[in-house]
Amino acid sequence: MSSRRPASIPSSGPGATSTRERIIGAAINLFNQNGVPSVPMHKLAAELGMSPGNLAYHFKSKRDVVAAIFPLLEDQMRGVLKPPGIRVSPRSAAEYQIEIFRTLWRFRFFFNGLVGLLGADPTGLAKRYMRFQDWVISTLDDLLVGLVGHGDMRTIAAPNTTHLVATNMWMLWLSWLRFAQLVSPDMAMVEDAAIYDGALRHFSLMQPYYGREFAGRLLVELQRALGQENKGSAAARDLPSARVKL
Amino acid sequence: MSSRRPASIPSSGPGATSTRERIIGAAINLFNQNGVPSVPMHKLAAELGMSPGNLAYHFKSKRDVVAAIFPLLEDQMRGVLKPPGIRVSPRSAAEYQIEIFRTLWRFRFFFNGLVGLLGADPTGLAKRYMRFQDWVISTLDDLLVGLVGHGDMRTIAAPNTTHLVATNMWMLWLSWLRFAQLVSPDMAMVEDAAIYDGALRHFSLMQPYYGREFAGRLLVELQRALGQENKGSAAARDLPSARVKL
């Protein structure tokens, strides 16, 4: 997919690559902690122990940094959204979901800042994002069609459609990220608790289409992987019956 | 509920009230069209044909304007979320939902700007918002419990809970508003098409809990009220089977 990201191709040798990568890594961390509007370029430079002029040599503006991060986000999301390709077990479904939620979490500043980042944008990021989002939703749609076709999920009865459910999945995931930021503005929420929250929101959306046994076992696998049997994430407090019944 | 909103109580006679109301009305419109960050106070003053000094006499800062709008939003949401109190018909359910979506749409700038509006906030708005959100979700939870209890909705099977579904409803509604802004950054989307979009997203979430006949008739009522039988909202394009089957 290198044709999609000319901005992230290093223009010279390995030294340049490494500096670029270091800048991008620090930017992702700072953006996630503080939100993009609260991270001026000089703060990013200071974090890197770099002069503002040196940083400007690599990235002229914050918008350029964000534009260089987007292809990483896109590649990683394309990677984790690829369907497992085997028959679904509660464990493989839990692992698949957790990888998706970890990736969304890794780039949460981007999704939480969408409206600001895509507005009045000269870099074409808005169009690239909308194409990416369409791809995500149609991939999820295909996944649902496949699961129903293999008997791994109940049919989504008309007039509802797999496409509407796929869109709701995506909307809910992004809402989950935003709620985590609202509840914990410095985004200090422990990652596994946040991931478990997202997984439970998703579980609640999709449970009507799961078999009863599959639903129960999926929840056990999510709890096992994320260590949330006894800890109280916000969503876990909403789920007393799960703790009693499983 | 006047004790909740000292900021919106006029400090002098009817003339003062009317100026405050005029400012608030113009601010809601401008904020919805452009987003709060793109509406400086002098632009609001210009829109009102008012000097910046005169505007400052009523509201010292944009934050004060937003703080004065919030109680209106809260009152109107509390009004429309009050359960109808009679047995649910497809028509009453459609009317109830549409009123909620119209109210969310009327204050969309607020929900779309939440992260920015609630951050670093000296007016206590963040706390008031979180209390409001908790109230909305618990009201929706009560509503679901009532609907299931009266046999108007299918049971939400454990380990899912009415509280998780109620939270997902709220998350989905806010995501719908945000998607509308992303797709149409100047928020120029025709109101009824946007409302229909939101109603279909909600329909897709809740359909597993509706009876088959109720689901079909609810959709007909939504289409009748919003005039979307033949027009193509984004969500309507996702719903070909509905157009064929109904």
Side-chain angles (χ1 to χ4, degrees):
Chain A
M1 254 175 297
S2 60
S3 64
R4 291 182 159 271
R5 43 173 184 175
S8 74
I9 295 171
S11 51
S12 48
T17 309
S18 151
T19 303
R20 266 189 84 89
E21 282 172 1
R22 224 160 56 81
I23 295 170
I24 285 175
I28 292 173
N29 285 339
L30 279 182
F31 291 164
N32 276 338
Q33 280 161 34
N34 306 296
V36 179
S38 304
V39 183
M41 286 292 268
H42 69 81
K43 198 169 165 183
L44 176 57
E47 175 75 16
L48 286 153
M50 193 181 262
S51 73
N54 192 9
L55 177 57
Y57 169 79
H58 294 278
F59 293 101
K60 287 204 172 41
S61 70
K62 201 157 62 170
R63 214 174 257 287
D64 289 343
V65 179
V66 173
I69 293 171
F70 181 71
L72 302 178
L73 177 166
E74 192 172 2
D75 273 5
Q76 292 185 28
M77 282 301 294
R78 284 179 188 264
V80 297
L81 276 167
K82 210 181 144 199
I86 46 166
R87 286 302 295 268
V88 176
S89 69
R91 175 160 294 188
S92 70
E95 286 167 356
Y96 178 71
Q97 289 173 19
I98 289 171
E99 279 311 299
I100 292 172
F101 292 134
R102 284 206 195 285
T103 307
L104 291 167
W105 184 252
R106 194 173 304 133
F107 294 100
R108 57 198 180 275
F109 81 86
F110 184 84
F111 296 107
N112 288 344
L114 270 182
V115 169
L117 292 173
L118 301 189
D121 161 49
T123 68
L125 189 59
K127 274 192 188 160
R128 284 156 69 203
Y129 173 76
M130 294 313 281
R131 269 202 307 268
F132 164 71
Q133 177 169 285
D134 287 346
W135 175 85
V136 169
I137 292 170
S138 84
T139 300
L140 294 172
D141 187 356
D142 291 346
L143 180 73
L144 292 175
V145 170
L147 289 169
V148 171
H150 287 100
D152 285 326
M153 213 183 88
R154 290 181 186 155
T155 303
I156 294 175
N160 207 345
T161 65
T162 50
H163 198 269
L164 277 176
V165 174
T167 307
N168 277 0
M169 285 168 62
W170 182 241
M171 286 193 169
L172 195 64
W173 297 352
L174 301 198
S175 252
W176 151 64
L177 285 179
R178 202 148 159 258
F179 263 53
Q181 183 172 0
L182 280 176
V183 171
S184 174
D186 55 358
M187 293 300 255
M189 193 185 272
V190 177
E191 175 169 331
D192 276 4
I195 302 293
Y196 187 59
D197 243 52
L200 285 189
R201 307 272 171 237
H202 180 76
F203 177 85
S204 172
L205 172 68
M206 297 307 292
Q207 199 211 23
Y209 308 108
Y210 296 148
R212 188 178 174 76
E213 198 199 323
F214 181 89
R217 288 179 57 208
L218 175 61
L219 207 50
V220 170
E221 292 293 343
L222 289 168
Q223 291 167 342
R224 187 180 334 222
L226 297 164
Q228 299 298 318
E229 294 91 342
N230 300 308
K231 289 181 217 164
S233 76
R237 284 192 296 276
D238 295 344
L239 203 70
S241 57
R243 288 205 297 276
V244 174
K245 297 213 173 218
L246 294 172
Chain B
M1 253 175 295
S2 61
S3 64
R4 292 182 159 271
R5 45 174 181 174
S8 74
I9 294 171
S11 51
S12 47
T17 310
S18 147
T19 303
R20 266 188 84 88
E21 283 173 0
R22 223 161 56 81
I23 294 169
I24 285 175
I28 292 173
N29 285 340
L30 279 182
F31 291 164
N32 276 339
Q33 280 161 33
N34 306 296
V36 178
S38 304
V39 183
M41 286 293 268
H42 69 81
K43 198 168 161 182
L44 176 56
E47 175 75 17
L48 287 153
M50 192 181 264
S51 74
N54 192 9
L55 177 57
Y57 170 80
H58 294 277
F59 293 101
K60 286 203 172 40
S61 69
K62 203 156 62 170
R63 214 174 256 288
D64 290 343
V65 179
V66 172
I69 292 171
F70 181 71
L72 302 179
L73 177 167
E74 194 173 1
D75 274 5
Q76 292 185 29
M77 281 302 293
R78 285 178 186 265
V80 295
L81 275 167
K82 210 182 145 200
I86 45 165
R87 285 303 294 270
V88 176
S89 68
R91 175 162 294 188
S92 70
E95 284 167 356
Y96 179 70
Q97 290 173 19
I98 289 171
E99 277 312 297
I100 292 172
F101 293 135
R102 284 207 194 286
T103 307
L104 290 167
W105 183 253
R106 195 173 305 134
F107 294 100
R108 58 198 180 275
F109 80 87
F110 184 84
F111 296 106
N112 288 344
L114 271 182
V115 169
L117 292 172
L118 302 189
D121 162 49
T123 67
L125 188 59
K127 274 191 188 161
R128 284 156 68 202
Y129 174 76
M130 294 313 280
R131 269 202 308 269
F132 164 71
Q133 178 170 284
D134 288 346
W135 175 85
V136 169
I137 292 170
S138 85
T139 300
L140 294 172
D141 187 355
D142 292 346
L143 180 73
L144 292 175
V145 170
L147 288 170
V148 171
H150 287 99
D152 284 327
M153 211 182 88
R154 291 180 184 156
T155 303
I156 295 175
N160 206 347
T161 65
T162 49
H163 198 268
L164 276 176
V165 174
T167 307
N168 278 358
M169 284 168 62
W170 182 240
M171 286 193 170
L172 195 64
W173 297 352
L174 300 198
S175 251
W176 151 65
L177 285 178
R178 202 148 158 257
F179 263 54
Q181 183 172 1
L182 279 176
V183 171
S184 174
D186 55 358
M187 293 300 256
M189 193 186 272
V190 177
E191 176 169 331
D192 275 4
I195 302 293
Y196 187 60
D197 243 51
L200 286 190
R201 306 273 171 236
H202 180 76
F203 178 85
S204 173
L205 172 68
M206 298 308 291
Q207 198 211 23
Y209 308 107
Y210 296 148
R212 189 180 172 77
E213 197 199 324
F214 181 89
R217 287 178 58 208
L218 174 60
L219 207 50
V220 169
E221 292 294 342
L222 289 168
Q223 290 167 343
R224 187 180 334 221
L226 297 165
Q228 299 298 318
E229 295 91 341
N230 301 307
K231 289 182 217 164
S233 77
R237 284 192 297 275
D238 296 344
L239 204 71
S241 57
R243 288 206 297 274
V244 174
K245 296 214 172 216
L246 295 171

